[in-house]
């Protein structure tokens, strides 16, 4: 583990913590305490737009030349808008500050994941620092003006650290990462996981808003609920670094959220009620941490890695905004219960696709480990999968022999594994499209799979099992 990498990851981690603290403060004050003078809907929508714009902006040629200057300019714009919100008491200035402040999150995430030797632990610490403000504001409540000064200071610190990180990257000679040949598979896995993340956060938002509806001066949410939650993030991040991105962790979080509405009905008004709320909060935070680590691993060779890593955060904010608007327009228990039932049914489908998406993306098993070993250390893989893996040619040969695939069909399979499309395969093998379709139908029939994606999942699983057998023999 490179000690320099640990030091270099400190600046982006602190910057991420500051921006997460801004987001957490707005969420807490906008829902529970109501101190901020602007609406939660406008601020969250502005955050989403700013993160997307920042991810697109800093993934172009711009950061190589003017990245630090752009980060400082965007941060100063956000600070000036926060100042305008303080002086003129206008929510429009606050929305603009949230928008321009969110633009520096993607470059911070990209810098963080490219430098951190233990991304799970370090990102967990950043989450813990940001989430600690929940407890801080309960113990030391601030006025609306003081709270906006805090947001201004956090935005300046986060933006300044982003500019510093971009300056260091500009002065360093980094090894450029190569884009995966199976980029189409990466896009498919991102789509699946984005839908899974959005559904998860929508369901969590229904439960979360229900708790905050009950929050009142007579029956307040005790500060003890937030006292130990922030400690879970570094612990979970360390476990992910050590054992890999096991999907069972996400299933535990899904179970914690699904179980909450049932137990709430039974325990309302008791201490156990708030314990269930703590479980719900922890499940959401751990799931967000898990998704950000997985998305960062999926997009590790993409120039838009920062934007890809920020997708879970955007999904969380967008999900909460949608649910908030839904509850405002359709109040009552019946609509919420109906949508929770629909989302629970949806989970029964998407939960079976989690393993599928993680396998396609290479998070659980990286099929190009032999090509990428010299580019970046695989922090998200279990220790046993970091050992030498089988040669791809041996895997294809074993797979072809096992399922009776002919030599020509094996050539087609090899190009499919490389991510080639129909036109590219026809050009490489000098065959027509109809001939190619015939070969693919034969391969799918012999392997009893429905489509190319299912074929790839089967191949990767078989390759992983064969590699495990060889490692045991070794």
């Amino acid at each position: 583990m490179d000690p320099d990498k640990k030091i270099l990851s400190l600046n982006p981690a602190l910057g991420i913590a500051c921006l997460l603290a801004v987001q957490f403060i707005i969420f807490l004050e906008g829902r529970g305490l109501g101190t901020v003078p602007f609406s939660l809907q406008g601020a969250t929508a502005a955050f989403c737009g700013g993160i997307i714009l920042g991810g697109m902006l800093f993934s172009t040629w711009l950061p190589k030349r003017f990245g630090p200057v752009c980060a400082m300019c965007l941060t100063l714009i956000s600070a000036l808008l926060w100042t305008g919100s303080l002086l003129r008491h206008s929510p429009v200035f606050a929305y603009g500050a949230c928008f321009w402040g969110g633009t520096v999150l993607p470059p911070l995430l990209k810098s963080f994941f490219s430098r951190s030797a233990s991304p799970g632990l370090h990102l967990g610490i950043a989450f813990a620092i940001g989430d600690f403000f929940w407890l801080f504001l309960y113990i030391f409540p601030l006025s609306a003006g003081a709270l906006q000064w805090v947001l201004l200071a956090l935005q300046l610190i986060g933006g300044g650290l982003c500019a510093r990180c971009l300056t260091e990257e500009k002065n360093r000679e980094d090894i450029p990462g190569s884009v995966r040949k199976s980029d189409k598979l990466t896009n498919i896995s991102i789509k699946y996981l984005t839908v899974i993340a959005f559904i998860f956060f929508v369901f969590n938002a229904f439960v979360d808003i229900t708790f905050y509806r009950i929050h009142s001066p007579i029956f307040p949410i005790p500060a003890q609920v937030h006292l130990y939650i922030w400690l879970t993030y570094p612990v979970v991040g360390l476990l992910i670094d050590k054992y890999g991105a096991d999907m069972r962790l996400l299933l535990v979080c899904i179970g914690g959220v699904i179980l909450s509405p049932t137990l709430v009905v039974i325990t309302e008004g008791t201490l156990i009620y708030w314990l269930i709320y703590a479980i719900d909060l922890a499940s959401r935070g751990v799931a967000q941490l898990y998704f950000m680590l997985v998305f960062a691993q999926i997009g590790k060779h993409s120039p838009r890695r920062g934007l890809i890593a920020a997708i879970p955060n955007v999904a969380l904010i967008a999900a909460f905004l949608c649910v908030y608007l839904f509850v405002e327009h359709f109040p009552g228990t019946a609509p919420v219960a109906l949508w929770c039932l629909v989302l629970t049914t949806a989970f029964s489908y998407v939960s079976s696709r989690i393993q599928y998406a993680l396998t396609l993306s290479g998070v659980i098993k990286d099929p190009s480990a032999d090509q990428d070993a010299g580019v970046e250390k695989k922090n998200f893989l279990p220790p046993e999968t970091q050992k030498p893996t089988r040669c791809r040619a041996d895997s294809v040969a074993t797979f072809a022999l096992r399922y009776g695939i002919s030599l020509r069909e094996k050539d087609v399979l090899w190009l499919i594994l490389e991510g080639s499309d129909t036109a590219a395969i026809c050009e490489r093998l000098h065959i027509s499209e109809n001939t190619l379709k015939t070969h693919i139908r034969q391969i799918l029939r012999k392997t009893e799979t429905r489509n190319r994606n299912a074929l790839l999942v089967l191949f990767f699983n078989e390759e992983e099992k064969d590699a495990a057998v060889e490692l045991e023999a070794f």
Side-chain angles (χ1 to χ4, degrees):
M1 196 175 286
D2 188 0
D4 293 335
K5 231 177 180 185
K6 287 183 179 180
I7 298 173
L8 288 172
S9 66
L10 179 63
N11 290 332
L14 289 177
I16 293 170
C18 290
L19 296 181
L20 288 177
V22 173
Q23 177 183 314
F24 290 156
I25 288 174
I26 291 176
F27 262 58
L28 175 65
E29 299 299 309
R31 289 179 297 166
L33 304 181
T35 305
V36 290
F38 47 85
S39 70
L40 178 63
Q41 300 94 313
T44 51
F47 263 123
C48 284
I51 292 172
I52 295 173
L53 175 64
M56 300 295 291
L57 180 66
F58 286 95
S59 62
T60 61
W61 59 271
L62 194 65
K64 295 182 179 179
R65 295 192 177 187
F66 309 107
V69 177
C70 289
M72 284 307 303
C73 289
L74 294 173
T75 301
L76 290 176
I77 291 173
S78 178
L80 289 174
L81 289 171
W82 278 123
T83 306
S85 176
L86 278 164
L87 298 178
R88 294 183 173 271
H89 305 287
S90 173
V92 177
F93 286 97
Y95 303 150
C98 293
F99 177 84
W100 295 109
T103 55
V104 297
L105 180 60
L108 273 172
L109 288 171
K110 183 178 180 181
S111 177
F112 170 81
F113 284 109
S114 64
R115 300 177 180 198
S116 177
S118 301
L121 175 62
H122 295 165
L123 187 63
I125 293 174
F127 267 67
I129 295 174
D131 202 26
F132 189 77
F133 276 87
W134 289 62
L135 179 63
F136 176 80
L137 290 176
Y138 270 124
I139 299 176
F140 304 103
L142 301 176
S143 62
L147 193 60
Q148 291 186 77
W149 282 115
V150 171
L151 295 174
L152 171 62
L154 290 172
Q155 188 63 64
L156 284 173
I157 295 172
L161 291 173
C162 177
R164 182 174 179 179
C165 293
L166 292 175
T167 303
E168 292 172 350
E169 287 185 354
K170 188 177 180 180
N171 296 332
R172 292 167 59 222
E173 289 295 330
D174 290 329
I175 301 176
S178 59
V179 180
R180 285 182 182 273
K181 292 183 179 179
S182 57
D183 191 60
K184 184 180 293 186
L185 302 182
T186 300
N187 293 334
I188 292 172
S189 61
I190 288 176
K191 290 177 183 177
Y192 273 122
L193 289 171
T194 300
V195 173
I196 293 168
F198 183 75
I199 294 176
F200 175 89
F201 291 130
V202 164
F203 190 32
N204 178 267
F206 271 115
V207 179
D208 192 65
I209 288 177
T210 302
F211 277 107
Y212 267 96
R213 294 283 181 187
I214 299 174
H215 172 66
S216 64
I218 301 176
F219 188 49
I221 299 175
Q224 290 80 358
V225 169
H226 303 274
L227 187 57
Y228 302 108
I229 293 176
W230 61 277
L231 293 173
T232 61
Y233 304 133
V235 175
V236 172
L238 184 62
L239 292 175
I240 294 176
D241 285 337
K242 186 175 182 180
Y243 298 106
D246 196 324
M247 62 170 284
R248 288 175 293 184
L249 176 62
L250 181 59
L251 294 178
V252 169
C253 296
I254 292 175
V257 175
I258 292 177
L259 189 63
S260 296
T262 304
L263 297 179
V264 161
V265 176
I266 303 172
T267 62
E268 183 175 343
T270 67
L271 182 61
I272 301 178
Y273 180 84
W274 298 120
L275 177 62
I276 297 168
Y277 179 49
I279 295 173
D280 179 71
L281 283 178
S283 298
R284 180 185 65 200
V286 170
Q288 185 182 5
L289 175 66
Y290 176 91
F291 278 122
M292 291 184 75
L293 292 171
V294 168
F295 274 82
Q297 173 68 358
I298 294 174
K300 65 181 178 182
H301 298 306
S302 173
R304 296 179 178 176
R305 187 181 191 182
L307 178 60
I308 293 174
I311 287 177
N313 195 49
V314 174
L316 184 150
I317 298 173
F320 191 91
L321 178 61
C322 292
V323 174
Y324 195 93
L325 294 175
F326 175 84
V327 174
E328 288 293 324
H329 289 84
F330 301 98
T333 306
V336 174
L338 177 62
W339 273 105
C340 286
L341 179 62
V342 172
L343 292 170
T344 304
T345 306
F347 271 133
S348 64
Y349 174 76
V350 300
S351 61
S352 64
R353 314 297 287 177
I354 296 173
Q355 180 78 24
Y356 176 80
L358 294 178
T359 304
L360 282 181
S361 63
V363 171
I364 290 184
K365 188 207 73 58
D366 195 343
S368 59
D370 53 336
Q371 300 176 6
D372 300 335
V375 177
E376 183 178 44
K377 183 178 177 181
K378 293 171 178 55
N379 300 294
F380 297 83
L381 297 178
E384 57 269 20
T385 60
Q386 296 176 15
K387 298 177 182 179
T389 56
R390 307 181 77 219
C391 175
R392 173 51 51 80
D394 293 339
S395 299
V396 174
T398 303
F399 188 83
L401 182 63
R402 182 175 296 156
Y403 291 97
I405 296 174
S406 66
L407 292 176
R408 199 56 167 170
E409 292 166 356
K410 187 169 71 171
D411 294 336
V412 173
L413 174 62
W414 186 279
L415 293 176
I416 291 176
L417 291 171
E418 288 186 347
S420 302
D421 56 14
T422 301
I425 296 176
C426 292
E427 183 180 355
R428 290 277 297 275
L429 299 180
H430 305 287
I431 59 177
S432 66
E433 185 173 341
N434 289 332
T435 304
L436 174 60
K437 290 181 179 178
T438 301
H439 287 316
I440 293 177
R441 279 198 299 268
Q442 290 297 321
I443 296 173
L444 297 180
R445 180 184 62 80
K446 292 176 181 179
T447 57
E448 297 182 355
T449 51
R450 294 179 300 173
N451 51 44
R452 294 189 190 188
N453 294 333
L455 173 65
L456 292 171
V457 172
L458 175 65
F459 176 84
F460 292 154
N461 287 335
E462 294 285 347
E463 186 181 44
E464 185 178 13
K465 292 177 182 177
D466 294 338
V469 171
E470 287 191 2
L471 286 174
E472 290 180 1
F474 177 80

